[in-house]
Amino acid sequence: MPSLAVVGAGLMGSGIAQVAAAAGYDVALQDVNEEQLSRALGDIESSLRRLEKKGKVTAEQVGQALARITTTTDLEEAARGADIVVEAVVEKLEIKQEVFRTLDRLCGPQTVLATNTSALPITQIAAVTEHPERVVGTHFFSPVPMMRLCEVVRGVKTSDETLARATAFAEDLGKTCVVVNRDIAGFVTTRLIVALSVEAVKLVESGVATAEDIDTACRLGFGHAMGPLETMDLTGIDVFVNASRNIYTDTADPKFHPPELSVRKAAAGELGRKSGKGWYDHS
């Protein structure tokens, strides 16, 4: 089984590490913060234990998966010898570019460099590397252990081999892949959910309906598992604001511009579940 490095031990990075380890990959999970790495390992074990209680994995499988994950704050240590590196750091272009500039220098030419971005163009991330043909988007969905979809996104210079290897990797993790052949900000799913979420925030902002009723309408009227505002609280209102801004910057289409209320909530630290308060109270 190929080896994997995951850069960034937040919600997405820890989820990717978990499903990869459960699928038999040896995983090096890297973050600049030791406390975050410790928290990520605790979250991964808690998630696996919940699956054990539901009878979806055995205690032995939980132990084996945890044993396959090592943690480090040293990016070079994590990336050295990895067949695939998945970056899952904050959704800011300049930060991702710095990570990929470093990975391009550390990793051999056969290593696939994947970004878990949900909205930033792959081509812009790859542009800072000497080998843009090995850079690809692998957009997993939160929570990664539960969500079955992965968008595999081709940058302008992504090679067919890289796209095929990234798709095979995601399928190894039990995901169903959709391939995005044109590298546009937001890809397919983020553009759809951002457009819906922008309108949902505007409806709350203008007093048309409550967050609860809007989410109920989407669940019961459209068959969505979660409403757009519930989803925003899960992933982070700051993540939504960044994603919508990125798409708006790329398209200048006003339907993607983040509404003022969401921007104010993000600025106030009302980010959703991770802060205890967003559209809903999670305390």
Side-chain angles (χ1 to χ4, degrees):
M1 186 71 73
S3 60
L4 170 71
V6 179
V7 181
L11 177 66
M12 296 304 298
S14 60
I16 294 165
Q18 176 185 324
V19 296
Y25 283 77
D26 290 323
V27 181
L29 180 60
Q30 186 272 342
D31 199 283
V32 296
N33 189 314
E34 285 279 11
E35 184 180 343
Q36 181 59 48
L37 287 167
S38 178
R39 187 181 307 119
L41 280 179
D43 290 344
I44 290 169
E45 181 167 9
S46 295
S47 177
L48 288 168
R49 294 299 179 194
R50 286 195 297 272
L51 293 174
E52 180 190 351
K53 285 182 180 179
K54 294 177 181 178
K56 295 185 176 181
V57 295
T58 65
E60 182 181 13
Q61 288 171 322
V62 171
Q64 289 171 342
L66 291 171
R68 293 188 188 106
I69 301 173
T70 58
T71 62
T72 179
T73 57
D74 187 334
L75 183 57
E76 182 173 1
E77 180 184 341
R80 188 189 303 121
D83 298 291
I84 301 169
V85 181
V86 178
E87 165 274 313
V89 303
V90 66
E91 196 79 336
K92 292 186 178 179
L93 179 61
E94 62 274 14
I95 295 176
K96 289 183 183 289
Q97 285 179 327
E98 185 56 37
V99 170
F100 274 79
R101 190 179 287 113
T102 303
L103 290 173
D104 189 54
R105 174 174 53 82
L106 294 176
C107 298
Q110 297 306 309
T111 303
V112 171
L113 303 181
T115 173
N116 186 58
T117 182
S118 60
L120 294 170
I122 307 306
T123 303
Q124 286 185 257
I125 295 171
V128 301
T129 71
E130 294 293 327
H131 301 282
E133 70 280 356
R134 63 173 173 163
V135 178
V136 64
T138 50
H139 176 208
F140 292 90
F141 288 74
S142 181
V144 181
M146 306 303 295
M147 299 295 283
R148 294 174 54 197
L149 182 65
C150 180
E151 283 183 302
V152 183
V153 189
R154 183 196 292 272
V156 169
K157 295 189 176 181
T158 303
S159 70
D160 290 343
E161 179 187 359
T162 297
L163 192 76
R165 287 178 63 193
T167 301
F169 161 68
E171 289 175 345
D172 276 348
L173 272 50
K175 306 306 178 186
T176 297
C177 296
V178 295
V179 175
V180 182
N181 282 307
R182 253 189 78 209
D183 182 23
I184 58 172
F187 319 135
V188 173
T189 57
T190 302
R191 286 172 80 99
L192 291 171
I193 191 61
V194 164
L196 176 63
S197 298
V198 165
E199 190 59 35
V201 175
K202 287 180 178 178
L203 291 171
V204 174
E205 200 171 45
S206 59
V208 172
T210 64
E212 292 88 345
D213 281 352
I214 290 166
D215 283 335
T216 297
C218 290
R219 288 197 312 272
L220 302 185
F222 304 147
H224 293 181
M226 296 179 73
L229 300 162
E230 291 173 298
T231 301
M232 209 183 298
D233 267 14
L234 175 65
T235 58
I237 293 174
D238 55 332
V239 174
F240 161 76
V241 170
N242 286 335
S244 55
R245 277 179 175 156
N246 289 334
I247 300 172
Y248 176 73
T249 298
D250 193 61
T251 63
D253 188 329
K255 72 171 172 281
F256 295 116
H257 194 278
E260 181 185 353
L261 182 56
S262 61
V263 174
R264 281 195 279 113
K265 277 187 171 289
E270 293 185 3
L271 308 179
R273 292 190 185 185
K274 60 187 173 184
S275 70
K277 182 175 176 58
W279 301 107
Y280 298 88
D281 187 349
H282 303 281
S283 58

